[in-house]
Amino acid sequence: MNTFGTIFRLTTFGESHGEAIGGIVDGMPAGIDIDLDFIQQELNRRRPGQSSITTSRQEADQVELLIGVFEGKSTGCPIGFIVRNTNQHSQDYENMRCLFRPSHADYTYHYKYGTRDHRGGGRSSARITISRCVGGALAKLALRQLGISIQAYTSQIGNIALERDYHLYDLSQTETNAVRCPDTEKAAQMEELVKKVKAEGDTIGGIITCVIKGCPAGLGEPEFGKLHASLGAAMLSINAVKGFEYGEGFAGVTARGSEQNDVFVPSPNVAGDLQSPALTTTTNHSGGIQGGISNGQDIYFRVAFKPVATILTEQDTVDLEGNATTLTARGRHDPCVLPRAVPIVEAMAAMTILDHFMLNKSTKL
């Protein structure tokens, strides 16, 4: 299962300490302007070594588009790309060759396949999300022509959290600080917390909120293939993700239906027809999706990330023979994955929305 999507499809390859990370994007619409600088910018948002609160691994993460682009536009053929690894420190993982790191994929990979790459986790490493960011950037370029935008941001680290309502913040400020939080005061507190946790050799988790604007009504299926289910599956496929909720989510369970229902009202700003009447809703507790299908309102959801499993303090574990031992991890690791995960959340959302848009086009004559 190295392929994501139905019509817009991303197939990825590579390991953390291999020669390169890469992929093939199939189903990219023809004639889309391919802005290589934009694609590289998306990778720069994900790359290591970008601040004092991320891993110190230094990688340029320079993307090379190999096929599928001619004279700056997509041809409709598969787009192949590669990003070379240049700064591996494989020796840092030698003491992990014969034992299982707590809460990592080491044991499950070994049990399933009978072998594993102990160097940074191999295929289970978050480094392979590079391919997702490239695929997501290409999807964003297509969505841009449809007037659909996607913005994610860090809304919580540890116990420092923003209000749930994204309307309270200027989301354009997200990229102005190291934690990618649109509230500068909270961002400073979050950064200090991450630095403190890092100094203790520990890690910490949090929540990323994502908002999709401009999505038309009608995306998603009424039974299997619900839009929110697809978004949830996409987010839960990201390393370290432990939870997904959309709209009011779990917070809405204490309210009554009379409080949660999104009432329809006429919208004078929308030109309606028999297929798409001119209406809007007074609230958006549904998160832009009703019955598994987008309703034209903003889609918003939250993604929970656990603390990074690699900590720089001694832990009990077992070796390949099941003998009790201890592990003190070495290497370069993130004390908090949230800042670098923001573009990954956006990428998965972009590919999901574009795929559903193309699926929806195929259901209409």
Side-chain angles (χ1 to χ4, degrees), residues 91-160:
Q91 67 277 7
D92 289 344
Y93 297 88
E94 192 57 33
N95 66 323
M96 306 176 193
R97 177 186 289 272
C98 296
L99 50 78
F100 301 121
R101 295 172 296 171
S103 285
H104 276 276
D106 295 352
Y107 170 71
T108 51
Y109 267 55
H110 181 80
Y111 190 87
K112 182 176 178 67
Y113 298 109
T115 185
R116 66 183 174 92
D117 186 345
H118 67 281
R119 304 166 303 167
R123 187 69 173 153
S124 69
S125 170
R127 181 152 180 77
I128 65 170
T129 58
I130 285 173
S131 297
R132 300 176 184 226
C133 285
V134 176
L138 290 167
K140 281 185 175 183
L141 291 173
L143 292 175
R144 181 186 293 176
Q145 298 195 12
L146 300 172
I148 300 172
S149 65
I150 299 173
Q151 174 70 68
Y153 61 93
T154 299
S155 55
Q156 182 170 342
I157 292 181
N159 61 356
I160 302 171

Side-chain angles (χ1 to χ4, degrees), residues 23-249:
I24 296 283
V25 170
D26 198 6
M28 181 71 176
I32 302 297
D33 291 328
I34 303 301
D35 184 343
L36 188 57
D37 289 338
F38 173 77
I39 297 172
Q40 187 60 54
Q41 176 187 328
E42 294 295 276
L43 284 183
N44 292 345
R45 296 171 67 210
R46 194 224 69 92
R47 71 175 176 82
Q50 58 185 280
S51 77
S52 62
I53 60 171
T54 64
T55 172
S56 60
R57 180 171 176 169
Q58 294 296 319
E59 294 277 6
D61 285 353
Q62 193 72 37
V63 63
E64 303 172 42
L65 299 185
L66 306 176
I67 53 174
V69 178
F70 179 65
E71 294 184 341
K73 292 184 181 293
S74 57
T75 63
C77 298
I79 297 177
F81 62 89
I82 195 170
V83 175
R84 301 183 187 279
N85 293 325
T86 62
N87 191 227
Q88 309 98 310
H89 287 182
S90 299
Q91 67 277 7
D92 289 344
Y93 297 88
E94 192 57 33
N95 66 323
M96 306 176 193
R97 177 186 289 272
C98 296
L99 50 78
F100 301 121
R101 295 172 296 171
S103 285
H104 276 276
D106 295 352
Y107 170 71
T108 51
Y109 267 55
H110 181 80
Y111 190 87
K112 182 176 178 67
Y113 298 109
T115 185
R116 66 183 174 92
D117 186 345
H118 67 281
R119 304 166 303 167
R123 187 69 173 153
S124 69
S125 170
R127 181 152 180 77
I128 65 170
T129 58
I130 285 173
S131 297
R132 300 176 184 226
C133 285
V134 176
L138 290 167
K140 281 185 175 183
L141 291 173
L143 292 175
R144 181 186 293 176
Q145 298 195 12
L146 300 172
I148 300 172
S149 65
I150 299 173
Q151 174 70 68
Y153 61 93
T154 299
S155 55
Q156 182 170 342
I157 292 181
N159 61 356
I160 302 171
L162 303 187
E163 297 291 336
R164 291 175 62 92
D165 187 354
Y166 64 90
H167 294 97
L168 300 175
Y169 304 98
D170 178 1
L171 301 189
S172 68
Q173 298 300 303
T174 299
E175 296 294 319
T176 62
N177 54 74
V179 293
R180 294 197 162 90
C181 171
D183 183 308
T184 54
E185 183 177 337
K186 291 284 189 178
Q189 295 174 23
M190 291 176 181
E191 187 168 352
E192 285 305 310
L193 175 58
V194 175
K195 288 179 178 179
K196 179 178 183 295
V197 168
K198 180 180 180 181
E200 295 169 353
D202 215 333
T203 61
I204 196 163
I207 295 173
I208 288 175
T209 297
C210 187
V211 182
I212 304 172
K213 291 181 175 290
C215 186
L219 304 192
E221 303 299 324
E223 178 59 9
F224 304 111
K226 288 177 167 66
L227 182 57
H228 60 268
S230 295
L231 285 168
M235 298 307 140
L236 289 165
S237 75
I238 301 172
N239 307 57
V241 169
K242 287 294 187 180
F244 169 84
E245 64 174 4
Y246 74 103
E248 288 295 301

